[in-house]
Amino acid sequence: MPIKVFIQTYGCQMNEADSEEMFLHLSARGAMRTDKLEDADAVLINTCTVRDHAEHRAISFLGRLCKWKRQNPKRIIIFAGCAAERLGNQLKKRYPYLNIVSGAKEIENFPLTLDKSGLFGPVGKAATAKPGLFAYATIMRGCNFNCTYCIVPSVRGPIKCLPAADILADVQRKAQAGAKEIMLLGQTVNAYQDGNVSFADLLNRVSEVPGVERVRFTSPHPIYFTPQFLAAVKDNPKIARHVHLPVQSGSSKVLGEMKRGYTREIFLEKVHALQANGFEISTDIIVGFPTETEPDFEQTLSLVDQARFMAAYCFKYSPRQGTVAAQMQLHSEETLEKRLDILLNKVKGLAEAAYARQVGTVQQVLMEEPHKGKTSTNFWVQTGLAFSPGSVVSCKIERAEGTLLFARIEHD
Ligand code: 5AD
Ligand code: SF4
């Protein structure tokens, strides 16, 4: 009987991709996947620690598994990823029923860790992953920045780029299996460099793989969006016109204290250059960084007005042990709540405004369902006629209703 594994992933798309990779190693050792915890023989928890809340959710799930394990002590629990890296072996002391702890930096050794545990069978053939229309491809891991609020560099380590040839082979395999849209992943994805292959070169090469219709990537760092980058990608329609570009704050003073490596003006310049080339921009914003004053916060609000984001994900600052900012005096929870509230109010209309801006444009829509697909800029479109999922259809956008566009099909 194969071992049935239940996978619970917290955090970002990198973690989603890492969970897939870990599952392939488990499946090579005779495991299969289940989405029912009560049927499972093993649980893989892939964790996040970027904010305290994310870590807390993973730990409380682990706590709840105590009863599950007591029902059958042969059951296996694997705790992996960023929180596992941060908390390390103290976890096994607190949760003695935990079988394997495998930190984010150890992902390359995950197969070895499984074999050493003696809990899984010998290595055979991995399940062939069926990616569907979308597939992730991890191109780099880690981060060489040292943003003062961020725990990622300490739990993921410095940058490691995968060889371009391996990435292209991975994409080819996924495209052959039916993937049309590839999402390239990395903590600072556009810092990618392999010998003389730059990030822009890699994007262009991935877009040339037969079957690939669209290439996305996340998350980039603003400083790598140079005029050279734009020149290298601007004529390639397969490179999606949407970039998730975290700004974190609209105050140059706070950005300096965060050690982000750019000012408000530089960020806006990059955003406007991307927008001039047809890119829509979404972002992340942190409110209540320790040194953020009311005027700094107002700068963030005014940046939102100037940047014309299509979406903004807003977070209350969460101190992370070991980071520079964790030593600084915190704002009260009340200040954090108040600023978050004001900002959320400001950003809630962004998506609808962005959808409304699309009316009258012609968009290439990658169909996900017979009547529904997504534009290169990442907007949902409803088509009157039906098309097979995976096809790309040229549509004239006639109207917007909330966060849905309605289209007429363009005939050439
Ligand atoms: N507190 C709050 N938000 C954080 N982020 C990263 N570190 C912290 C922190 N300590 C946010 C940033 C980042 C997103 C993934 O999480 O906005 O872009
Ligand atoms: Fe964290 Fe900054 Fe690196 Fe992003 S660039 S992972 S925020 S240290």
Side-chain angles (χ1 to χ4, degrees), residues 10 176 242:
Y10 296 95
Q176 258 164 24
H242 168 238

Side-chain angles (χ1 to χ4, degrees), residues 215-374:
V215 190
R216 297 189 186 277
F217 54 87
T218 206
S219 274
H221 191 286
I223 70 161
Y224 300 105
F225 282 129
T226 56
Q228 293 87 312
F229 170 84
L230 278 174
V233 301
K234 74 178 177 19
D235 296 325
N236 186 342
K238 289 190 179 177
I239 297 173
R241 269 23 186 190
H242 168 238
V243 172
H244 181 70
L245 193 60
V247 63
Q248 315 300 6
S249 169
S251 152
S252 292
K253 187 200 104 214
V254 172
L255 288 169
E257 286 150 355
M258 288 175 161
K259 287 216 172 17
R260 288 291 294 170
Y262 53 85
T263 59
R264 168 196 181 92
E265 290 71 30
I266 292 172
F267 180 83
L268 282 170
E269 209 175 278
K270 309 260 180 197
V271 163
H272 293 146
L274 284 161
Q275 287 168 335
N277 284 279
F279 286 87
E280 287 283 343
I281 314 288
S282 55
T283 198
D284 288 343
I285 300 172
I286 299 175
V287 298
F289 183 76
T291 59
E292 184 187 80
T293 60
E294 278 297 324
D296 290 324
F297 176 60
E298 276 155 28
Q299 291 267 298
T300 297
L301 298 176
S302 87
L303 178 111
V304 171
D305 287 328
Q306 282 181 27
R308 287 209 314 162
F309 295 121
M310 66 181 285
Y313 302 91
C314 308
F315 308 103
K316 283 192 284 190
Y317 169 72
S318 167
R320 308 307 293 129
Q321 212 181 33
T323 60
V324 172
Q327 326 263 326
M328 301 177 185
Q329 177 78 40
L330 291 181
H331 284 293
S332 67
E333 183 59 25
E334 195 190 339
T335 303
L336 293 180
E337 286 284 346
K338 193 186 85 200
R339 289 186 188 168
L340 182 65
D341 240 38
I342 296 171
L343 184 61
L344 286 175
N345 240 325
K346 175 134 210 121
V347 306
K348 79 169 180 244
L350 291 179
E352 283 196 20
Y355 270 76
R357 288 199 292 272
Q358 310 308 308
V359 175
T361 63
V362 174
Q363 300 281 343
Q364 303 306 307
V365 177
L366 176 59
M367 301 305 290
E368 296 191 17
E369 297 165 22
H371 289 279
K372 211 170 162 189
K374 265 196 164 172

Side-chain angles (χ1 to χ4, degrees), residues 133-135 179-184 206-207 211-216 237-241 363-368 373-379 391-393:
L133 290 179
F134 307 99
K180 300 283 176 207
E181 183 171 302
I182 305 291
M183 169 80 94
L184 303 184
V206 166
S207 77
V212 171
E213 295 289 354
R214 192 170 277 169
V215 190
R216 297 189 186 277
K238 289 190 179 177
I239 297 173
R241 269 23 186 190
Q363 300 281 343
Q364 303 306 307
V365 177
L366 176 59
M367 301 305 290
E368 296 191 17
K374 265 196 164 172
T375 64
S376 171
T377 37
N378 220 14
F379 296 111
S391 53
V392 178
V393 184

Side-chain angles (χ1 to χ4, degrees), residues 6 74 94 110 115 146 168 287 290:
F6 177 88
K74 284 210 181 107
R94 260 171 71 195
F110 187 66
D115 293 338
N146 256 315
L168 288 167
V287 298

Side-chain angles (χ1 to χ4, degrees), residues 143-147 149-153 187-188 221 248 260:
C143 175
N144 286 356
F145 287 85
N146 256 315
C147 299
Y149 54 83
C150 188
I151 196 156
V152 168
Q187 249 81 42
T188 46
H221 191 286
Q248 315 300 6
R260 288 291 294 170

